[in-house]
Short mmCIF file of all heavy atoms in Angstrom, two decimals:
data_model
loop_
_atom_site.label_atom_id
_atom_site.label_comp_id
_atom_site.label_asym_id
_atom_site.label_seq_id
_atom_site.Cartn_x
_atom_site.Cartn_y
_atom_site.Cartn_z
N PHE A 65 -47.11 12.97 26.23
CA PHE A 65 -46.75 12.74 24.84
C PHE A 65 -45.76 13.80 24.33
O PHE A 65 -44.81 13.51 23.57
CB PHE A 65 -48.00 12.74 23.96
CG PHE A 65 -48.69 11.42 23.93
CD1 PHE A 65 -49.93 11.23 24.54
CD2 PHE A 65 -48.10 10.32 23.27
CE1 PHE A 65 -50.56 10.00 24.52
CE2 PHE A 65 -48.72 9.09 23.25
CZ PHE A 65 -49.96 8.92 23.90
N PRO A 88 -27.02 -16.34 23.76
CA PRO A 88 -26.19 -17.50 24.10
C PRO A 88 -27.06 -18.69 24.46
O PRO A 88 -28.07 -18.55 25.18
CB PRO A 88 -25.35 -17.02 25.27
CG PRO A 88 -25.35 -15.55 25.20
CD PRO A 88 -26.70 -15.19 24.61
N ASN A 97 -21.24 -19.49 22.41
CA ASN A 97 -21.89 -18.40 23.11
C ASN A 97 -21.42 -17.06 22.62
O ASN A 97 -21.89 -16.02 23.08
CB ASN A 97 -21.62 -18.49 24.62
CG ASN A 97 -22.55 -19.51 25.27
OD1 ASN A 97 -23.56 -19.85 24.72
ND2 ASN A 97 -22.13 -19.99 26.45
N GLY A 149 -5.35 4.87 25.63
CA GLY A 149 -4.00 5.18 26.14
C GLY A 149 -3.11 3.95 26.24
O GLY A 149 -1.93 4.00 25.95
N LEU A 323 3.04 -22.69 27.06
CA LEU A 323 3.97 -21.66 27.47
C LEU A 323 3.30 -20.28 27.46
O LEU A 323 2.48 -20.00 26.59
CB LEU A 323 5.18 -21.64 26.54
CG LEU A 323 5.94 -22.95 26.38
CD1 LEU A 323 7.11 -22.78 25.42
CD2 LEU A 323 6.45 -23.47 27.71
N PRO A 364 14.49 -23.45 10.14
CA PRO A 364 15.84 -23.96 10.49
C PRO A 364 16.70 -24.34 9.28
O PRO A 364 17.90 -24.07 9.27
CB PRO A 364 15.52 -25.20 11.36
CG PRO A 364 14.20 -24.88 11.96
CD PRO A 364 13.44 -24.12 10.90
N THR A 370 20.21 -16.33 5.93
CA THR A 370 19.94 -15.13 6.66
C THR A 370 21.18 -14.23 6.81
O THR A 370 21.09 -13.12 7.37
CB THR A 370 19.38 -15.41 8.08
OG1 THR A 370 20.39 -16.19 8.82
CG2 THR A 370 18.10 -16.22 7.99
N VAL A 442 15.04 -4.67 2.85
CA VAL A 442 15.49 -4.54 4.25
C VAL A 442 15.71 -3.07 4.60
O VAL A 442 15.30 -2.59 5.64
CB VAL A 442 16.76 -5.39 4.49
CG1 VAL A 442 17.37 -5.06 5.86
CG2 VAL A 442 16.45 -6.89 4.40
N HIS A 444 14.33 -0.48 3.20
CA HIS A 444 13.00 0.17 3.22
C HIS A 444 12.32 -0.06 4.59
O HIS A 444 11.80 0.89 5.20
CB HIS A 444 12.14 -0.38 2.10
CG HIS A 444 10.81 0.23 1.97
ND1 HIS A 444 10.52 1.22 1.07
CD2 HIS A 444 9.66 0.00 2.64
CE1 HIS A 444 9.24 1.57 1.16
NE2 HIS A 444 8.69 0.84 2.13
N ASN A 453 6.76 4.49 11.90
CA ASN A 453 6.56 3.97 13.25
C ASN A 453 6.72 5.06 14.30
O ASN A 453 5.84 5.28 15.13
CB ASN A 453 7.57 2.84 13.49
CG ASN A 453 7.37 1.65 12.54
OD1 ASN A 453 6.42 1.65 11.78
ND2 ASN A 453 8.27 0.70 12.58
N PHE A 488 21.59 5.26 -7.58
CA PHE A 488 20.73 6.40 -7.88
C PHE A 488 20.30 6.44 -9.34
O PHE A 488 19.10 6.71 -9.62
CB PHE A 488 21.43 7.69 -7.45
CG PHE A 488 21.57 7.82 -5.97
CD1 PHE A 488 22.81 7.98 -5.38
CD2 PHE A 488 20.46 7.76 -5.14
CE1 PHE A 488 22.96 8.07 -4.00
CE2 PHE A 488 20.59 7.86 -3.75
CZ PHE A 488 21.83 8.03 -3.17
N VAL A 499 6.21 4.42 -12.79
CA VAL A 499 5.10 5.23 -12.24
C VAL A 499 4.74 6.41 -13.17
O VAL A 499 3.62 6.88 -13.17
CB VAL A 499 5.48 5.76 -10.82
CG1 VAL A 499 6.48 6.87 -10.85
CG2 VAL A 499 4.19 6.22 -10.13
N ARG A 558 12.15 14.87 15.42
CA ARG A 558 12.15 15.36 16.81
C ARG A 558 10.84 16.02 17.18
O ARG A 558 10.31 15.85 18.27
CB ARG A 558 13.32 16.37 17.00
CG ARG A 558 14.68 15.72 17.08
CD ARG A 558 15.72 16.70 17.65
NE ARG A 558 15.87 17.86 16.78
CZ ARG A 558 16.74 17.96 15.81
NH1 ARG A 558 17.56 16.95 15.53
NH2 ARG A 558 16.81 19.06 15.07
N ILE A 583 9.26 28.50 0.16
CA ILE A 583 8.02 28.16 0.85
C ILE A 583 7.66 26.77 0.34
O ILE A 583 6.97 26.61 -0.72
CB ILE A 583 6.90 29.17 0.58
CG1 ILE A 583 7.43 30.57 0.90
CG2 ILE A 583 5.66 28.84 1.40
CD1 ILE A 583 7.88 30.76 2.34
N ASN A 619 -3.13 10.18 -23.37
CA ASN A 619 -4.30 10.45 -24.20
C ASN A 619 -4.95 11.74 -23.74
O ASN A 619 -5.92 11.74 -22.99
CB ASN A 619 -5.28 9.29 -24.07
CG ASN A 619 -4.79 8.05 -24.76
OD1 ASN A 619 -4.80 7.96 -25.99
ND2 ASN A 619 -4.36 7.05 -23.98
N THR A 642 21.97 21.70 -18.91
CA THR A 642 23.37 21.88 -19.31
C THR A 642 23.37 22.13 -20.82
O THR A 642 22.43 21.82 -21.54
CB THR A 642 24.24 20.67 -18.99
OG1 THR A 642 23.74 19.54 -19.71
CG2 THR A 642 24.24 20.36 -17.52
N ASN A 673 16.64 18.73 -17.43
CA ASN A 673 16.40 17.74 -16.35
C ASN A 673 17.67 16.94 -16.09
O ASN A 673 17.70 15.69 -16.27
CB ASN A 673 15.22 16.86 -16.67
CG ASN A 673 14.63 16.18 -15.41
OD1 ASN A 673 15.07 16.42 -14.28
ND2 ASN A 673 13.64 15.30 -15.64
N TYR A 676 18.09 13.48 -14.41
CA TYR A 676 16.67 13.13 -14.32
C TYR A 676 16.21 13.24 -12.86
O TYR A 676 15.52 12.37 -12.34
CB TYR A 676 16.40 11.74 -14.85
CG TYR A 676 15.11 11.69 -15.67
CD1 TYR A 676 15.11 11.91 -17.03
CD2 TYR A 676 13.89 11.44 -15.04
CE1 TYR A 676 13.93 11.92 -17.76
CE2 TYR A 676 12.73 11.43 -15.77
CZ TYR A 676 12.73 11.67 -17.12
OH TYR A 676 11.56 11.65 -17.85
N LYS A 691 20.12 17.08 -32.79
CA LYS A 691 21.43 17.37 -32.21
C LYS A 691 21.74 16.41 -31.06
O LYS A 691 22.87 15.94 -30.88
CB LYS A 691 21.48 18.82 -31.72
CG LYS A 691 21.46 19.86 -32.83
CD LYS A 691 21.41 21.29 -32.27
CE LYS A 691 21.36 22.30 -33.37
NZ LYS A 691 21.29 23.69 -32.86
N THR A 701 28.76 9.10 -23.82
CA THR A 701 29.17 9.25 -22.41
C THR A 701 29.23 10.68 -21.94
O THR A 701 29.41 10.93 -20.77
CB THR A 701 30.52 8.58 -22.18
OG1 THR A 701 31.53 9.21 -23.03
CG2 THR A 701 30.51 7.10 -22.55
N LEU A 755 6.00 -1.74 -27.28
CA LEU A 755 5.84 -1.99 -28.72
C LEU A 755 5.70 -3.48 -29.01
O LEU A 755 4.84 -3.90 -29.80
CB LEU A 755 6.99 -1.41 -29.52
CG LEU A 755 6.83 0.01 -30.08
CD1 LEU A 755 6.71 1.01 -28.94
CD2 LEU A 755 8.00 0.38 -30.98
N PRO A 880 0.60 -24.54 -25.53
CA PRO A 880 -0.58 -23.92 -24.91
C PRO A 880 -1.19 -24.75 -23.78
O PRO A 880 -1.59 -24.20 -22.76
CB PRO A 880 -1.55 -23.74 -26.07
CG PRO A 880 -0.68 -23.68 -27.27
CD PRO A 880 0.45 -24.59 -27.00
N ALA A 914 1.90 -16.74 -23.88
CA ALA A 914 1.47 -16.76 -22.48
C ALA A 914 0.55 -15.57 -22.18
O ALA A 914 -0.38 -15.71 -21.40
CB ALA A 914 2.70 -16.72 -21.55
N ALA A 918 -3.12 -15.94 -20.58
CA ALA A 918 -3.44 -15.26 -19.34
C ALA A 918 -4.70 -14.41 -19.49
O ALA A 918 -5.57 -14.39 -18.60
CB ALA A 918 -2.24 -14.37 -18.90
N THR A 976 -9.54 -1.88 -12.04
CA THR A 976 -10.41 -2.18 -13.19
C THR A 976 -10.64 -0.92 -14.00
O THR A 976 -10.64 -0.95 -15.24
CB THR A 976 -11.73 -2.79 -12.76
OG1 THR A 976 -12.37 -1.92 -11.83
CG2 THR A 976 -11.53 -4.12 -12.08
N TRP A 989 -3.96 3.92 -29.90
CA TRP A 989 -2.56 3.88 -30.28
C TRP A 989 -2.37 3.01 -31.54
O TRP A 989 -1.63 3.40 -32.45
CB TRP A 989 -1.74 3.29 -29.15
CG TRP A 989 -0.27 3.30 -29.37
CD1 TRP A 989 0.63 4.26 -29.01
CD2 TRP A 989 0.51 2.28 -30.04
NE1 TRP A 989 1.91 3.91 -29.42
CE2 TRP A 989 1.86 2.70 -30.07
CE3 TRP A 989 0.21 1.05 -30.63
CZ2 TRP A 989 2.90 1.94 -30.60
CZ3 TRP A 989 1.23 0.31 -31.20
CH2 TRP A 989 2.55 0.74 -31.20
#
Side-chain angles (χ1 to χ4, degrees):
F65 276 110
N97 280 339
L323 304 180
T370 61
V442 170
H444 182 98
N453 299 353
F488 293 122
V499 74
R558 285 195 298 269
I583 306 302
N619 288 286
T642 61
N673 200 4
Y676 220 90
K691 291 177 181 179
T701 61
L755 267 64
T976 57
W989 185 92

